[in-house]
Amino acid sequence: IPSDLGYAIAQTIINHDQGNDIKPPENFSFSNYKLVTGKNMYDPKFQVLLQFLKDNPDRLSSRSKSLHLDSDEGINALHECYLRSKEQKLTLSRPTTIPDDAVSVILQQCCGFTQAQTDQIKVEHQLSMSAENLVGALLERYIAQVLEPHGWIWCAGDFIRAIDFIKYNKSKGLWEAVQVKNRDNTENSSSSAIRHGTTIEKWFRTYSKPSKKRATNTNWENFPEEEFRDQLSEEGFLQFIRNYLA
């Protein structure tokens, strides 16, 4: 996808999300390009992600490497993955991992818990682990609802490696990228650099260790895109979770 087409798609998305007339940038005609493959038209936001991958093919996740970006079959598979991820309704599910009885014995001997108490702890621990796995996905959705009306694209589908949000900055001729993590101790060995001099801005929501130097244990005030700091907050995120799971 040519860069001017990617930019035009992004501007059209912004007009739509802001409730304005859905029209391309001045002096640009979509009719110059073929956006339809077979009988299917790709989601405009996916088109932007596809352009990013064509500019940065090394960012295609390892589990998607078998898909070829220059084939209709590969692009269709990624498009379906993108749509499934965006349309998926997240729910809490209990892990199927078998609890370790040795953990219960340790708790009984060291903490004085009864068998009934440790049985309850097993259940609560499983549910807690499931909830922790859900937080990261909900965090991306919360941030997406704020950023996407301003031209940012959520990298739904997990086929773009170590990046959660992208935006093409036309004035600089560069892609901007943000990686979101729930905690500061989440390991990620992926390189911070992508092509054309762009770097991935990394941000985490919560600190894993307390400090008297901080007023809170959250990191919203350091969100990399300053213009959104007054629109993102811990209370806003928690309320988003309540509304989403209601």
Side-chain angles (χ1 to χ4, degrees):
I1 301 172
S3 59
D4 61 336
L5 176 57
Y7 175 73
I9 292 172
Q11 291 301 306
T12 304
I13 293 169
I14 293 173
N15 286 333
H16 169 69
D17 287 339
Q18 292 181 345
N20 301 324
D21 292 335
I22 301 177
K23 58 183 180 180
E26 187 176 356
N27 300 323
F28 184 90
S29 176
F30 279 109
S31 62
N32 294 331
Y33 297 94
K34 184 179 179 182
L35 296 179
V36 179
T37 300
K39 297 181 179 179
N40 300 315
M41 179 174 287
Y42 296 136
D43 182 284
K45 294 180 181 179
F46 173 78
Q47 294 268 9
V48 180
L49 296 181
L50 186 60
Q51 179 59 48
F52 174 81
L53 283 175
K54 289 187 174 182
D55 288 347
N56 302 276
D58 58 311
R59 281 291 147 181
L60 184 64
S61 67
S62 58
R63 56 186 170 185
S64 303
K65 289 292 186 183
S66 60
L67 302 176
H68 299 288
L69 296 177
D70 57 354
S71 72
D72 288 347
E73 182 181 4
I75 295 174
N76 287 337
L78 289 178
H79 187 231
E80 291 176 8
C81 178
Y82 172 79
L83 294 179
R84 283 198 306 270
S85 180
K86 292 205 71 171
E87 296 169 359
Q88 178 188 15
K89 175 63 177 179
L90 301 176
T91 58
L92 182 68
S93 58
R94 181 175 298 181
T96 57
T97 305
I98 300 173
D100 188 343
D101 288 336
V103 174
S104 295
V105 173
I106 291 173
L107 291 175
Q108 291 165 15
Q109 294 301 117
C110 297
C111 304
F113 289 124
T114 64
Q115 181 66 49
Q117 289 174 319
T118 54
D119 287 345
Q120 180 62 28
I121 290 172
K122 286 180 183 179
V123 174
E124 293 171 350
H125 178 62
Q126 285 187 308
L127 291 174
S128 180
M129 287 194 300
S130 182
E132 286 182 4
N133 292 334
L134 204 57
V135 172
L138 289 168
L139 180 62
E140 289 184 20
R141 283 165 169 74
Y142 169 64
I143 295 175
Q145 69 169 358
V146 174
L147 268 61
E148 287 206 316
H150 301 278
W152 285 86
I153 307 296
W154 172 33
C155 302
D158 293 328
F159 53 81
I160 295 183
R161 180 171 57 88
I163 295 175
D164 299 303
F165 296 92
I166 62 165
K167 179 181 181 180
Y168 185 73
N169 188 319
K170 187 179 181 182
S171 63
K172 295 181 180 179
L174 295 173
W175 288 99
E176 298 178 1
V178 173
Q179 179 191 95
V180 169
K181 293 295 179 184
N182 189 50
R183 294 177 73 78
D184 64 344
N185 61 348
T186 303
E187 294 185 6
N188 193 313
S189 58
S190 300
S191 171
S192 296
I194 58 178
R195 295 187 175 187
H196 310 303
T198 304
T199 58
I200 303 173
E201 296 183 282
K202 297 185 177 182
W203 175 82
F204 59 88
R205 169 182 157 250
T206 59
Y207 293 92
S208 56
K209 296 181 180 180
S211 173
K212 294 181 179 179
K213 297 180 180 180
R214 298 191 306 267
T216 70
N217 290 323
T218 62
N219 193 37
W220 294 102
E221 68 276 11
N222 293 314
F223 192 78
E225 301 305 313
E226 294 186 26
E227 63 181 298
F228 302 117
R229 289 178 183 174
D230 62 345
Q231 302 175 55
L232 297 167
S233 67
E234 185 67 8
E235 181 50 42
F237 177 47
L238 298 181
Q239 187 57 50
F240 172 82
I241 294 176
R242 296 185 187 101
N243 295 341
Y244 185 92
L245 297 177

